[in-house]
Amino acid sequence: MEKGKKLSLILFSGDYDKAMAALILANSARELGMTVNIFFAFWGLCLIRDPEKMSLEDKTAFETMFGIAAPNGPEDLPLSRMNMAGLGKAMLKKMMAEHDAPDLTAFLKGAQKKGVNFFICKLSLEIMGFKKEEMIQGSQVLTATEYLQDALDADIELFI
């Protein structure tokens, strides 16, 4: 792999399997020595919500209701298809375990450890009523314009 290559991902989905795909790509790209930036927008923010840091303080009634209803971190995300009230996800996780595949949280921690850059969409954060302090440590808030300025240099750009 040529030095200086960059992967830029936009994670818009809040689905377990789609978040898994994004993190598999991010971890793999880091193993190839690529710079990896993930821009989390709207439902994608649920992947990096830290269940230990969630707060209802200083939120409007809508933000409070939304915060309670939205998934609380990676393991709370539903499947995009065949979720079947959580049964499909449980089956997927069992099949993953049978193949010694890590769960979503392990992929997320691996990406953090490998130096994947986590960028939070400022407008998405505000609209969804989340606070920066509720997100996992090391994530940075950017405007869409700031993210796009950085993404212009990417060799690969993916929207999940």
Side-chain angles (χ1 to χ4, degrees), residues 52-150:
E52 311 266 324
K53 296 180 182 175
M54 291 175 17
S55 169
L56 300 178
E57 193 173 309
D58 297 325
K59 293 189 176 186
T60 67
F62 284 139
E63 291 171 343
T64 298
M65 288 187 297
F66 197 81
I68 291 169
N72 302 323
E75 296 306 321
D76 201 26
L77 300 178
L79 285 183
S80 61
R81 300 281 188 269
M82 295 176 49
N83 192 50
M84 300 177 289
L87 181 61
K89 182 175 159 188
M91 291 187 313
L92 175 67
K93 289 178 84 170
K94 179 152 178 49
M95 292 185 311
M96 289 169 57
E98 288 172 0
H99 291 279
D100 296 320
D103 64 13
L104 186 56
T105 299
F107 277 111
L108 182 63
K109 288 180 180 177
Q112 286 178 291
K113 190 179 286 189
K114 290 176 185 164
V116 171
N117 300 305
F118 292 161
F119 298 125
I120 299 167
C121 174
K122 182 179 185 294
L123 186 58
S124 296
L125 189 72
E126 293 169 357
I127 289 173
M128 296 193 64
F130 299 150
K131 305 240 181 276
K132 162 77 168 87
E133 298 76 35
E134 295 177 89
M135 301 295 142
I136 60 174
Q137 189 160 353
S139 51
Q140 180 182 346
V141 177
L142 294 181
T143 65
T145 302
E146 290 169 324
Y147 173 74
L148 288 170
Q149 286 172 333
D150 177 72

